[in-house]
Amino acid sequence: MNLVTLQNVLDNTSFAVLFCTMLVYWVGAAFPQIPTLAGIGTVGMTIANLCIATLLGARWLEAGYFPLSNLYESLFFLTWGITTIHLLAERMSRSRLVGVVTAPVTMAITAFAALSLPSTMQTAEPLVPALKSNWLMMHVSVMMLSYAALMVGSLMAIAFLVVTRGQNIELRGSSVGTGSYRDRKYQLRRAGELVSSTLEETTPSPAPVSESSGGTAVLELAPPSVATNPTVPLSSQRLSLADTLDNISYRIIGLGFPLLTIGIIAGAVWANEAWGSYWSWDPKETWALITWLVFAAYLHARITKGWQGRRPAILAATGFLVVWVCYLGVNLLGKGLHSYGWFF
């Protein structure tokens, strides 16, 4: 079997598996009483991850260089990164909620790469002289993994905003130094029970429930106390879901940000070797800096300022668009020092 045939088999298999996996995650979210669907979704993501890894490995052996020379390879490497981060996030959170939002994105990227790109852009070609460097693997692979992690974290933030829409929930205490994740889930469940019991009473008790300015619902996790708008009861299940999404988003972005920092530093060193300057304010470099600043502001707000809930989630959700502009949008202009045939 030659490379082209193997490539066609693996990329189409990846698309089919991810499409079925997306449906499995969505059905599992709609019918949580079917526990086997969660395991099937994880298996599907693992199979797709292995198919893409095999595809990239085959191209690496055939072409003799790390497979990140064109848009086709870049998109599949990004998909591999997202599926890898997805599996890591599921293991960290012990929740299958991650796949509800990551599976559609991976499926869409795979469909675009395998079904929409012309065959000329899917063919492995010799590297241009500027890319014949050992920094190709170091800089680009780290940048792509950072994009994958930041995208997954941003998707979790978007899901958090959807779950808490119209309720303005503020979670306090889910950052570093406030107890284990399991403790927070227990405290959150107890908080939801307090809300339910309070709403059923004819005379509301001011101890567990109080109103904040603007009707904002505030959930204190340590000690567990709840303030909510009485007209919008908050179930313990929904509060637990919100906390899970918030926690996953924070942890994954905390993983992607150092990778982005390392990738930018490696790129600056490579730029100095190739062009004689560490920083040239190239469009790609500028948007990489903007991406770094957006997520630096998110982590600063979470760690230093103590922001929780919807405010940092909105900032992280904005980062999803910024990452895509940095990764692909700049290349659509076809300008700058990084425009090597739709390269990273």
Side-chain angles (χ1 to χ4, degrees):
M1 182 182 294
N2 57 35
L3 178 62
V4 175
T5 303
L6 179 62
Q7 170 184 302
N8 292 335
V9 170
L10 290 175
D11 61 12
N12 284 284
T13 301
S14 301
F15 166 71
V17 170
L18 287 172
F19 179 76
C20 295
T21 302
M22 177 189 70
L23 297 179
V24 167
Y25 274 116
W26 284 2
V27 173
F31 301 97
Q33 64 271 23
I34 309 177
T36 56
L37 291 178
I40 295 174
T42 303
V43 171
M45 277 291 188
T46 304
I47 293 174
N49 181 276
L50 294 176
C51 286
I52 296 172
T54 304
L55 170 62
L56 295 174
R59 290 177 72 95
W60 191 353
L61 293 175
E62 180 71 18
Y65 57 82
F66 198 69
L68 279 170
S69 64
N70 56 29
L71 183 60
Y72 177 83
E73 295 171 347
S74 178
L75 288 170
F76 269 103
F77 190 88
L78 178 65
T79 306
W80 177 83
I82 293 176
T83 54
T84 301
I85 299 298
H86 161 92
L87 295 172
L88 177 62
E90 278 195 341
R91 185 175 182 83
M92 290 169 56
S93 64
R94 298 182 181 180
S95 171
R96 300 299 186 266
L97 298 171
V98 185
V100 175
V101 289
T102 58
V105 174
T106 54
M107 187 275 297
I109 297 174
T110 304
F112 177 68
L115 306 177
S116 299
L117 291 181
S119 57
T120 55
M121 296 187 67
Q122 299 183 15
T123 305
E125 297 180 353
L127 289 175
V128 298
L131 300 181
K132 293 180 180 179
S133 171
N134 293 329
W135 287 103
L136 173 65
M137 180 189 300
M138 173 61 184
H139 168 59
V140 184
S141 61
V142 173
M143 289 296 293
M144 295 300 298
L145 288 175
S146 72
Y147 292 158
L150 294 176
M151 284 183 184
V152 173
S154 298
L155 286 171
M156 295 300 100
I158 293 172
F160 173 85
L161 293 174
V162 173
V163 169
T164 61
R165 64 189 183 279
Q167 296 194 11
N168 293 327
I169 298 175
E170 295 289 342
L171 303 174
R172 299 184 187 277
S174 60
S175 294
V176 176
T178 57
S180 67
Y181 179 63
R182 184 177 299 177
D183 292 340
R184 287 195 298 272
K185 291 189 68 176
Y186 172 76
Q187 292 169 350
L188 196 57
R189 183 171 62 252
R190 291 291 303 146
E193 293 172 358
L194 286 174
V195 173
S196 299
S197 61
T198 303
L199 291 175
E200 292 175 359
E201 295 179 1
T202 56
T203 304
S205 173
V209 177
S210 63
E211 292 193 17
S212 60
S213 59
T216 299
V218 180
L219 177 58
E220 297 283 355
L221 295 182
S225 61
V226 181
T228 180
N229 186 343
T231 62
V232 186
L234 302 175
S235 66
S236 60
Q237 181 180 5
R238 192 164 184 178
L239 289 172
S240 179
L241 174 59
D243 182 65
T244 299
L245 294 172
D246 179 74
N247 187 270
I248 296 174
S249 175
Y250 175 66
R251 291 187 177 195
I252 297 301
I253 290 177
L255 172 65
F257 183 75
L259 292 175
L260 179 64
T261 304
I262 295 172
I264 292 175
I265 294 173
V269 176
W270 186 12
N272 185 61
E273 290 185 3
W275 304 320
S277 174
Y278 288 100
W279 196 268
S280 304
W281 292 106
D282 178 75
K284 177 73 76 172
E285 295 173 350
T286 302
W287 275 98
L289 178 60
I290 293 173
T291 304
W292 189 90
L293 291 174
V294 168
F295 287 102
Y298 169 82
L299 293 175
H300 175 74
R302 291 290 303 250
I303 299 173
T304 305
K305 297 297 182 181
W307 283 18
Q308 303 292 333
R310 291 183 63 86
R311 289 189 298 173
I314 292 173
L315 188 58
T318 304
F320 182 75
L321 177 61
V322 173
V323 170
W324 271 110
V325 172
C326 178
Y327 165 62
L328 191 59
V330 174
N331 295 82
L332 294 175
L333 301 177
K335 299 179 181 180
L337 297 170
H338 289 78
S339 299
Y340 295 114
W342 300 85
F343 180 63
F344 67 93

